[in-house]
Amino acid sequence: MTDETINELSAQIAELHFAEDLPAQIEGFELRKIFAAEEDKFILFTYADAAIHCAITAYFHTETKEFKVRQSIGLTEFCLTDFFTEDLAHFKELLDAELAGVIKNLRGVGTGKVNRFLHDIKLDTWAYGRSLPATLEGFELYISPAAPVEVTNGSFIIVNYADFALGSDFALSYNIYTDEFGGEERICGAPKVIYNFDAKTLDDLEAKLKDNLTDELREIRRLSEEAK
């Protein structure tokens, strides 16, 4: 990022009194003002609750020349497209109107109910899903089928085992548009799609979890330890 871009952004922030207007806390999420360049981004601020591993980051992306909001749920990160804009004043208006609601929803991660799409595939009555251990191979069951988390493009994370100290995890998602289950893992923060948990039904998914879940978590840990 060029000094010229940093200076322009800093001037806009000062003109709008952007830093002064941010509340110190929203729904128990603590504000951290940053206003500094980080690779191809200019980070404005974060709101985070380390206890539940959730955060919101507001930033300017030089590649697209847009202001954006990134949401972090556990080790999963994605942008909220409703906040995309090239204008800082408009970005501030969007934040004033919507940010508190977004953070309130984050506060409820892990306590949500199964919606009608997931009810239709009987996720809420999936006995095997309710029997998943709270810890397995040193990984914590961060997201369970009883409280799936909606992410992007019609996908819901239904199972997530995470080791936050390693920055590594295993996640299973269901997509309402493709009507399919699929897996992803992270090795020290680096995501990778995996295919040995692809399934069309909960019965198929259950069989693959019984056969492969423990070995998959062991492999994630082995690769993570090697990458450290």
Side-chain angles (χ1 to χ4, degrees), residues 2-23:
T2 65
D3 289 341
E4 181 181 1
T5 299
I6 293 172
N7 291 336
E8 288 177 359
L9 289 169
S10 298
Q12 292 180 53
I13 290 166
E15 182 179 352
L16 290 171
H17 303 287
F18 199 96
E20 292 89 337
D21 293 343
L22 294 169

Side-chain angles (χ1 to χ4, degrees), residues 22-47:
L22 294 169
Q25 187 182 95
I26 300 177
E27 294 287 334
F29 281 65
E30 299 289 340
L31 169 67
R32 185 163 72 95
K33 298 177 183 179
I34 299 175
F35 301 109
E38 182 181 293
E39 298 179 345
D40 64 343
K41 302 174 182 65
F42 186 87
I43 310 298
L44 302 174
F45 62 84
T46 65
Y47 279 96

Side-chain angles (χ1 to χ4, degrees), residues 94-135:
L94 291 172
L95 291 170
D96 289 344
E98 306 293 339
L99 186 61
V102 169
I103 292 177
K104 184 176 182 179
N105 288 338
L106 269 184
R107 170 60 61 205
V109 164
T111 62
K113 297 180 179 179
V114 172
N115 71 8
R116 69 177 182 87
F117 297 105
L118 302 180
H119 173 75
D120 288 345
I121 64 167
K122 305 187 186 312
L123 186 70
D124 50 344
T125 58
W126 187 31
Y128 177 79
R130 293 197 300 271
S131 73
L132 289 169
T135 59

